[in-house]
Coordinates of all heavy atoms in Angstrom, one line a residue:
M116 N 0.8 -1.2 0.0 CA 0.0 0.0 0.0 C 0.9 1.3 0.0 O 1.9 1.3 0.7 CB -0.9 0.0 1.2 CG -2.4 0.0 0.8 SD -3.5 0.1 2.2 CE -3.0 -1.2 3.3
S117 N 0.5 2.2 -0.7 CA 1.2 3.5 -0.8 C 0.5 4.5 0.1 O -0.7 4.5 0.3 CB 1.3 4.0 -2.2 OG 1.8 3.0 -3.1
K118 N 1.3 5.4 0.5 CA 0.8 6.5 1.4 C 0.8 7.8 0.5 O 1.8 8.1 -0.2 CB 1.7 6.7 2.6 CG 1.2 7.7 3.6 CD 2.0 7.7 4.8 CE 3.4 8.3 4.6 NZ 4.2 8.4 5.8
I119 N -0.3 8.5 0.5 CA -0.4 9.8 -0.2 C -0.5 10.9 0.9 O -1.4 10.9 1.7 CB -1.7 9.9 -1.1 CG1 -1.8 8.7 -2.0 CG2 -1.7 11.2 -1.8 CD1 -3.1 8.6 -2.8
T120 N 0.5 11.8 0.8 CA 0.4 12.9 1.8 C 0.1 14.2 1.0 O 0.7 14.4 -0.1 CB 1.8 13.1 2.4 OG1 2.2 11.9 3.1 CG2 1.8 14.2 3.4
V121 N -0.8 14.9 1.5 CA -1.2 16.2 0.9 C -0.7 17.3 1.9 O -1.3 17.3 3.0 CB -2.7 16.4 0.6 CG1 -2.9 17.7 0.0 CG2 -3.1 15.3 -0.3
I122 N 0.2 18.1 1.6 CA 0.7 19.1 2.5 C -0.4 20.0 3.0 O -1.2 20.5 2.1 CB 1.9 19.9 1.8 CG1 3.1 19.0 1.6 CG2 2.3 21.1 2.7 CD1 4.2 19.6 0.8
G123 N -0.5 20.1 4.3 CA -1.5 21.0 4.9 C -2.9 20.3 5.1 O -3.7 20.8 5.8
Q124 N -3.0 19.0 4.6 CA -4.3 18.3 4.8 C -4.1 17.0 5.5 O -5.0 16.5 6.2 CB -5.0 18.0 3.4 CG -5.5 19.3 2.8 CD -6.7 19.0 1.9 OE1 -7.6 18.2 2.2 NE2 -6.7 19.6 0.7
G125 N -2.9 16.3 5.4 CA -2.7 15.1 6.1 C -2.4 14.0 5.1 O -1.9 14.2 4.0
E126 N -2.6 12.7 5.5 CA -2.2 11.6 4.6 C -3.3 10.5 4.6 O -4.1 10.4 5.5 CB -0.9 11.0 5.1 CG -0.9 10.5 6.5 CD 0.5 10.1 7.0 OE1 1.5 10.9 6.8 OE2 0.6 9.0 7.5
C127 N -3.3 9.7 3.5 CA -4.2 8.6 3.4 C -3.5 7.5 2.7 O -2.4 7.6 2.1 CB -5.5 9.0 2.7 SG -5.3 9.2 0.9
E128 N -4.1 6.3 2.8 CA -3.5 5.1 2.1 C -4.1 5.0 0.7 O -5.3 5.2 0.5 CB -3.9 3.8 2.9 CG -3.3 3.8 4.3 CD -1.8 3.5 4.3 OE1 -1.3 3.0 3.3 OE2 -1.2 3.7 5.3
F129 N -3.3 4.6 -0.3 CA -3.8 4.2 -1.6 C -4.0 2.7 -1.6 O -3.0 2.0 -1.4 CB -2.9 4.7 -2.7 CG -3.4 4.3 -4.0 CD1 -4.4 5.1 -4.7 CD2 -3.0 3.1 -4.7 CE1 -4.9 4.7 -5.9 CE2 -3.6 2.8 -5.9 CZ -4.5 3.6 -6.5
D130 N -5.2 2.2 -1.8 CA -5.4 0.8 -1.7 C -6.2 0.2 -2.9 O -7.2 -0.4 -2.8 CB -6.2 0.5 -0.4 CG -6.3 -1.0 0.0 OD1 -5.5 -1.7 -0.6 OD2 -7.2 -1.3 0.7
G131 N -5.6 0.5 -4.1 CA -6.2 0.0 -5.3 C -7.3 0.7 -5.9 O -8.0 0.2 -6.7
Q132 N -7.6 1.9 -5.4 CA -8.7 2.7 -6.0 C -8.4 3.0 -7.4 O -7.2 2.9 -7.9 CB -8.9 4.0 -5.2 CG -9.5 3.8 -3.8 CD -8.5 3.6 -2.8 OE1 -7.3 3.4 -3.1 NE2 -8.9 3.8 -1.5
F133 N -9.4 3.5 -8.2 CA -9.2 3.7 -9.6 C -8.1 4.8 -9.8 O -7.2 4.7 -10.7 CB -10.5 4.2 -10.3 CG -10.3 4.6 -11.7 CD1 -10.1 3.7 -12.7 CD2 -10.3 6.0 -12.0 CE1 -9.9 4.1 -14.0 CE2 -10.2 6.4 -13.4 CZ -9.9 5.4 -14.3
S134 N -8.1 5.8 -9.0 CA -7.2 7.0 -9.1 C -6.8 7.5 -7.8 O -7.4 7.2 -6.8 CB -7.8 8.1 -10.0 OG -8.9 8.7 -9.3
M135 N -5.8 8.3 -7.8 CA -5.4 9.0 -6.5 C -6.5 9.9 -6.1 O -6.8 10.0 -4.9 CB -4.2 9.9 -6.7 CG -2.9 9.1 -6.7 SD -1.5 10.1 -6.2 CE -1.3 10.9 -7.7
L136 N -7.2 10.5 -7.0 CA -8.3 11.4 -6.6 C -9.4 10.6 -5.9 O -9.9 11.1 -4.9 CB -8.9 12.1 -7.9 CG -10.1 13.0 -7.7 CD1 -9.8 14.1 -6.7 CD2 -10.7 13.5 -9.0
E137 N -9.7 9.4 -6.4 CA -10.7 8.6 -5.7 C -10.3 8.3 -4.3 O -11.1 8.3 -3.3 CB -10.9 7.3 -6.5 CG -12.3 6.7 -6.2 CD -12.5 5.5 -7.1 OE1 -12.7 5.7 -8.3 OE2 -12.5 4.4 -6.7
A138 N -9.0 7.9 -4.1 CA -8.5 7.5 -2.8 C -8.6 8.8 -1.8 O -9.0 8.6 -0.7 CB -7.1 7.0 -2.9
L139 N -8.2 9.9 -2.3 CA -8.2 11.1 -1.5 C -9.7 11.5 -1.2 O -10.0 11.9 0.0 CB -7.5 12.3 -2.3 CG -6.0 12.1 -2.4 CD1 -5.5 12.9 -3.5 CD2 -5.3 12.4 -1.1
D140 N -10.5 11.4 -2.1 CA -11.9 11.7 -2.0 C -12.6 10.8 -0.9 O -13.2 11.3 0.0 CB -12.6 11.4 -3.3 CG -13.5 12.6 -3.7 OD1 -13.4 13.7 -3.1 OD2 -14.3 12.4 -4.7
E141 N -12.3 9.5 -1.0 CA -12.9 8.6 0.0 C -12.4 8.9 1.4 O -13.1 8.6 2.3 CB -12.4 7.2 -0.4 CG -13.2 6.5 -1.4 CD -12.6 5.1 -1.7 OE1 -11.7 4.6 -1.0 OE2 -13.0 4.5 -2.7
S142 N -11.2 9.4 1.5 CA -10.7 9.7 2.8 C -11.1 11.1 3.3 O -10.6 11.6 4.3 CB -9.1 9.6 2.8 OG -8.8 8.3 2.4
G143 N -11.9 11.8 2.6 CA -12.4 13.1 3.0 C -11.6 14.3 2.7 O -11.8 15.4 3.3
F144 N -10.6 14.1 1.9 CA -9.7 15.3 1.5 C -10.5 16.2 0.6 O -11.3 15.8 -0.2 CB -8.5 14.8 0.8 CG -7.4 14.2 1.7 CD1 -7.7 13.0 2.3 CD2 -6.2 14.8 1.9 CE1 -6.7 12.4 3.2 CE2 -5.3 14.2 2.7 CZ -5.5 13.0 3.3
D145 N -10.2 17.5 0.8 CA -10.8 18.5 0.0 C -10.0 18.8 -1.2 O -9.2 19.7 -1.2 CB -11.0 19.8 0.9 CG -11.9 20.8 0.1 OD1 -12.6 20.5 -0.8 OD2 -11.8 22.0 0.6
M146 N -10.1 17.9 -2.3 CA -9.3 18.1 -3.4 C -10.1 18.8 -4.6 O -11.2 18.5 -4.8 CB -8.9 16.7 -3.9 CG -8.1 15.9 -2.9 SD -6.6 16.6 -2.3 CE -5.5 16.6 -3.8
P147 N -9.3 19.6 -5.3 CA -10.0 20.2 -6.5 C -10.2 19.2 -7.6 O -9.3 18.4 -7.8 CB -9.0 21.3 -6.9 CG -7.7 20.9 -6.4 CD -8.0 20.0 -5.2
Y148 N -11.3 19.2 -8.3 CA -11.5 18.4 -9.5 C -12.7 18.8 -10.2 O -13.5 19.6 -9.6 CB -11.6 16.9 -9.1 CG -12.8 16.5 -8.4 CD1 -14.0 16.1 -9.1 CD2 -12.9 16.5 -7.0 CE1 -15.2 15.8 -8.5 CE2 -14.1 16.2 -6.4 CZ -15.2 15.8 -7.1 OH -16.4 15.5 -6.5
S149 N -12.9 18.4 -11.4 CA -14.1 18.7 -12.1 C -14.5 17.5 -13.0 O -15.4 16.7 -12.7 CB -14.0 19.9 -13.0 OG -15.2 20.2 -13.7
C150 N -13.7 17.2 -14.1 CA -14.2 16.2 -15.0 C -13.9 14.8 -14.6 O -14.5 13.9 -15.1 CB -13.5 16.5 -16.4 SG -11.8 16.2 -16.4
R151 N -12.8 14.6 -13.9 CA -12.3 13.3 -13.5 C -11.8 12.5 -14.7 O -11.6 11.3 -14.6 CB -13.4 12.4 -12.8 CG -13.7 12.9 -11.4 CD -14.7 12.0 -10.7 NE -15.0 12.4 -9.4 CZ -14.4 11.8 -8.3 NH1 -13.6 10.9 -8.5 NH2 -14.7 12.3 -7.1
G152 N -11.7 13.1 -15.8 CA -11.3 12.4 -17.0 C -10.1 12.9 -17.7 O -9.8 12.5 -18.9
G153 N -9.3 13.7 -17.1 CA -8.1 14.2 -17.7 C -8.3 15.3 -18.7 O -7.4 15.7 -19.5
N154 N -9.4 16.0 -18.7 CA -9.7 17.0 -19.7 C -9.6 18.4 -19.2 O -9.2 19.3 -19.9 CB -11.2 16.9 -20.2 CG -11.4 15.5 -20.8 OD1 -10.6 15.1 -21.6 ND2 -12.5 14.9 -20.5
C155 N -9.9 18.7 -17.9 CA -10.0 20.1 -17.4 C -8.8 20.7 -16.7 O -8.7 21.9 -16.7 CB -11.3 20.2 -16.5 SG -11.0 19.4 -14.9
G156 N -8.0 19.8 -16.1 CA -6.9 20.3 -15.3 C -7.2 20.8 -13.9 O -6.3 21.3 -13.2
A157 N -8.4 20.7 -13.5 CA -8.8 21.2 -12.2 C -8.1 20.5 -11.1 O -7.9 21.0 -10.0 CB -10.3 21.2 -12.0
C158 N -7.8 19.2 -11.3 CA -7.2 18.4 -10.3 C -5.7 18.4 -10.2 O -5.1 17.6 -9.5 CB -7.7 16.9 -10.5 SG -7.0 16.2 -11.9
A159 N -5.1 19.3 -11.0 CA -3.6 19.4 -11.1 C -3.0 19.8 -9.7 O -3.5 20.7 -9.1 CB -3.2 20.3 -12.1
V160 N -2.1 19.0 -9.2 CA -1.4 19.3 -8.0 C 0.1 19.2 -8.2 O 0.6 18.5 -9.1 CB -1.8 18.4 -6.8 CG1 -3.3 18.6 -6.5 CG2 -1.5 16.9 -7.1
K161 N 0.9 19.8 -7.3 CA 2.4 19.7 -7.4 C 2.8 18.3 -6.8 O 2.3 18.0 -5.8 CB 3.0 20.8 -6.6 CG 3.2 22.0 -7.4 CD 4.2 22.9 -6.7 CE 4.3 24.2 -7.6 NZ 4.9 25.3 -6.9
L162 N 3.6 17.6 -7.6 CA 4.2 16.4 -7.1 C 5.5 16.7 -6.4 O 6.5 17.0 -7.1 CB 4.4 15.4 -8.2 CG 5.0 14.0 -7.8 CD1 4.1 13.3 -6.9 CD2 5.3 13.2 -9.1
I163 N 5.5 16.8 -5.1 CA 6.7 17.2 -4.3 C 7.7 16.1 -4.2 O 8.9 16.3 -4.4 CB 6.3 17.6 -2.9 CG1 5.3 18.7 -2.9 CG2 7.5 18.1 -2.1 CD1 5.7 20.0 -3.6
S164 N 7.3 14.8 -4.0 CA 8.2 13.7 -4.0 C 7.4 12.4 -4.4 O 6.2 12.4 -4.2 CB 8.9 13.5 -2.7 OG 8.0 13.1 -1.7
G165 N 8.1 11.4 -4.9 CA 7.5 10.2 -5.2 C 7.2 10.1 -6.7 O 7.5 11.0 -7.5
K166 N 6.7 8.9 -7.1 CA 6.5 8.6 -8.5 C 5.0 8.2 -8.7 O 4.5 7.6 -7.9 CB 7.4 7.5 -9.1 CG 8.8 8.0 -9.2 CD 9.6 6.9 -10.0 CE 11.0 7.5 -10.3 NZ 12.0 6.5 -10.3
V167 N 4.5 8.6 -9.9 CA 3.1 8.2 -10.2 C 3.1 7.5 -11.6 O 4.0 7.7 -12.4 CB 2.2 9.4 -10.2 CG1 2.2 10.0 -8.8 CG2 2.5 10.4 -11.3
E168 N 2.0 6.8 -11.8 CA 1.8 6.2 -13.2 C 0.5 6.7 -13.7 O -0.5 6.7 -13.0 CB 1.8 4.7 -13.0 CG 1.7 3.9 -14.3 CD 1.6 2.4 -14.1 OE1 2.6 1.9 -13.5 OE2 0.6 1.8 -14.5
E169 N 0.5 7.0 -15.0 CA -0.8 7.4 -15.6 C -1.7 6.2 -15.8 O -1.2 5.2 -16.4 CB -0.5 8.2 -16.9 CG -0.1 9.6 -16.7 CD 0.0 10.4 -17.9 OE1 -0.2 9.8 -19.0 OE2 0.2 11.6 -17.8
I170 N -3.0 6.4 -15.5 CA -3.9 5.3 -15.7 C -4.9 5.6 -16.8 O -5.7 4.8 -17.2 CB -4.7 4.9 -14.4 CG1 -5.1 6.1 -13.6 CG2 -3.8 4.0 -13.6 CD1 -6.5 6.4 -13.7
Q171 N -4.8 6.8 -17.3 CA -5.6 7.2 -18.5 C -4.7 8.3 -19.2 O -3.9 8.9 -18.6 CB -7.0 7.7 -18.2 CG -7.1 8.8 -17.2 CD -8.5 9.1 -16.8 OE1 -9.4 8.5 -17.3 NE2 -8.7 10.0 -15.9
S172 N -4.9 8.5 -20.5 CA -4.2 9.5 -21.2 C -4.9 10.8 -21.2 O -5.9 11.0 -21.9 CB -4.0 9.1 -22.7 OG -3.3 7.8 -22.7
P173 N -4.4 11.7 -20.4 CA -5.2 13.0 -20.2 C -5.0 13.9 -21.5 O -3.9 13.9 -22.1 CB -4.5 13.7 -19.0 CG -3.2 13.0 -18.8 CD -3.3 11.7 -19.5
I174 N -6.0 14.7 -21.8 CA -5.9 15.7 -22.8 C -5.2 16.9 -22.3 O -4.4 17.5 -22.9 CB -7.3 16.0 -23.3 CG1 -7.9 14.8 -24.1 CG2 -7.3 17.2 -24.2 CD1 -9.4 14.9 -24.5
Y175 N -5.5 17.3 -21.0 CA -4.9 18.4 -20.4 C -3.5 18.1 -20.1 O -3.1 17.0 -19.5 CB -5.7 18.8 -19.1 CG -5.1 20.0 -18.4 CD1 -5.6 21.2 -18.7 CD2 -4.1 19.8 -17.4 CE1 -5.0 22.3 -18.1 CE2 -3.6 20.9 -16.8 CZ -4.1 22.2 -17.1 OH -3.6 23.3 -16.5
E176 N -2.5 19.0 -20.4 CA -1.1 18.8 -20.1 C -0.7 19.7 -18.9 O -0.6 20.9 -19.0 CB -0.3 19.2 -21.3 CG -0.3 18.1 -22.4 CD 0.7 18.4 -23.5 OE1 1.7 19.0 -23.2 OE2 0.4 17.9 -24.6
P177 N -0.5 19.0 -17.7 CA -0.1 19.8 -16.6 C 1.4 20.3 -16.7 O 2.1 19.8 -17.6 CB -0.2 18.8 -15.4 CG -0.1 17.5 -16.0 CD -0.6 17.6 -17.4
N178 N 1.7 21.3 -15.9 CA 3.1 21.7 -15.8 C 4.0 20.6 -15.5 O 3.6 19.5 -15.0 CB 3.3 22.8 -14.8 CG 2.5 24.1 -15.2 OD1 2.3 24.3 -16.4 ND2 2.1 24.9 -14.2
D179 N 5.3 20.7 -15.7 CA 6.3 19.7 -15.5 C 6.3 19.1 -14.1 O 6.6 17.9 -13.9 CB 7.7 20.1 -15.9 CG 7.9 20.2 -17.4 OD1 7.0 19.7 -18.1 OD2 8.9 20.8 -17.8
D180 N 6.1 20.0 -13.1 CA 6.1 19.6 -11.7 C 4.7 19.2 -11.2 O 4.6 19.0 -10.0 CB 6.8 20.7 -10.8 CG 6.0 22.0 -10.9 OD1 5.1 22.1 -11.8 OD2 6.2 22.8 -10.0
E181 N 3.8 19.1 -12.1 CA 2.4 18.8 -11.6 C 1.9 17.5 -12.2 O 2.4 17.0 -13.2 CB 1.4 19.9 -12.1 CG 1.7 21.2 -11.4 CD 0.7 22.3 -11.8 OE1 0.1 22.2 -12.9 OE2 0.6 23.3 -11.1
I182 N 0.9 16.9 -11.5 CA 0.2 15.7 -12.0 C -1.3 15.9 -11.8 O -1.7 16.8 -11.1 CB 0.7 14.4 -11.2 CG1 0.5 14.6 -9.7 CG2 2.1 14.1 -11.5 CD1 -0.3 13.6 -9.1
L183 N -2.0 15.1 -12.6 CA -3.5 15.1 -12.5 C -3.9 14.0 -11.6 O -3.7 12.8 -11.9 CB -4.1 15.0 -13.8 CG -3.7 16.0 -14.9 CD1 -4.3 15.6 -16.2 CD2 -4.2 17.4 -14.5
T184 N -4.5 14.3 -10.4 CA -4.8 13.2 -9.5 C -5.9 12.3 -10.0 O -6.0 11.1 -9.6 CB -5.3 13.8 -8.1 OG1 -6.5 14.6 -8.3 CG2 -4.2 14.6 -7.4
C185 N -6.7 12.8 -11.0 CA -7.8 11.9 -11.6 C -7.2 10.9 -12.5 O -7.9 10.0 -12.9 CB -8.8 12.8 -12.3 SG -8.3 13.4 -13.9
S186 N -6.0 11.1 -13.0 CA -5.4 10.3 -14.0 C -4.2 9.5 -13.6 O -3.5 9.0 -14.5 CB -5.1 11.2 -15.2 OG -6.2 11.9 -15.7
C187 N -3.9 9.5 -12.3 CA -2.7 8.8 -11.9 C -2.9 8.0 -10.7 O -3.8 8.2 -9.9 CB -1.6 9.9 -11.5 SG -1.0 10.9 -12.8
I188 N -2.0 7.0 -10.5 CA -2.0 6.2 -9.2 C -0.5 6.3 -8.7 O 0.4 6.5 -9.5 CB -2.4 4.7 -9.4 CG1 -1.5 4.1 -10.5 CG2 -3.8 4.6 -9.8 CD1 -1.7 2.6 -10.6
P189 N -0.4 6.3 -7.4 CA 1.0 6.4 -6.9 C 1.8 5.1 -7.0 O 1.3 4.0 -7.0 CB 0.7 6.7 -5.4 CG -0.6 6.0 -5.1 CD -1.4 6.1 -6.4
M190 N 3.1 5.2 -7.3 CA 4.0 4.1 -7.3 C 4.9 4.2 -6.1 O 6.0 4.8 -6.2 CB 4.9 4.2 -8.6 CG 4.1 4.2 -9.9 SD 3.0 2.8 -10.1 CE 4.2 1.6 -10.5
G191 N 4.4 3.8 -5.0 CA 5.1 4.1 -3.7 C 4.5 5.3 -3.0 O 3.5 5.9 -3.5
D192 N 5.2 5.8 -2.0 CA 4.7 6.9 -1.2 C 4.9 8.2 -2.0 O 5.9 8.4 -2.7 CB 5.4 7.0 0.1 CG 5.1 5.9 1.1 OD1 4.1 5.1 0.7 OD2 5.7 5.7 2.1
V193 N 3.9 9.1 -2.0 CA 4.0 10.4 -2.7 C 3.6 11.5 -1.8 O 2.8 11.3 -0.8 CB 3.1 10.4 -4.0 CG1 3.6 9.4 -5.0 CG2 1.7 10.2 -3.6
V194 N 4.2 12.7 -2.1 CA 3.8 13.9 -1.3 C 3.3 14.9 -2.4 O 4.0 15.1 -3.4 CB 5.0 14.5 -0.6 CG1 4.6 15.8 0.1 CG2 5.5 13.5 0.5
L195 N 2.1 15.4 -2.1 CA 1.5 16.4 -3.1 C 1.3 17.7 -2.4 O 1.1 17.8 -1.2 CB 0.1 15.8 -3.5 CG 0.0 14.4 -4.0 CD1 -1.4 14.0 -4.3 CD2 0.9 14.2 -5.3
E196 N 1.2 18.7 -3.2 CA 0.9 20.1 -2.7 C -0.2 20.7 -3.6 O 0.0 20.7 -4.8 CB 2.1 20.9 -2.6 CG 1.8 22.3 -2.0 CD 3.1 23.1 -1.9 OE1 4.0 23.1 -2.8 OE2 3.2 23.8 -0.9
I197 N -1.3 21.2 -3.0 CA -2.3 21.9 -3.8 C -1.8 23.3 -4.1 O -1.5 24.0 -3.2 CB -3.6 21.9 -3.1 CG1 -4.1 20.4 -2.8 CG2 -4.7 22.6 -3.9 CD1 -5.4 20.3 -2.0
P198 N -1.7 23.7 -5.4 CA -1.1 25.0 -5.7 C -2.0 26.1 -5.3 O -3.2 25.9 -5.1 CB -0.9 24.9 -7.2 CG -1.7 23.8 -7.7 CD -2.0 22.9 -6.6
Ligands
FES109 S1 -10.5 16.4 -12.8 FE1 -10.4 17.2 -14.8 S2 -8.3 16.7 -15.4 FE2 -8.6 15.8 -13.5

């Protein structure tokens, strides 16, 4: 199981949910999102540490230091920051 830490909000476990957004949502985190499909960019957060894998091919291209929580799963422990 991977640990997802959101700076300023706390941490939760990733336990095979569809996406990081789903895991964070289930744990009651107040994460920004809209489409959940990689189209809008609303869920973009800074990846401070750790690695992620894309589980769908997003249309929206986040900045180099950002990831889309709706379109990724963690590969080990990750630390995120909401911009
Ligand atoms: S919620 Fe729209 S790109 Fe993730």
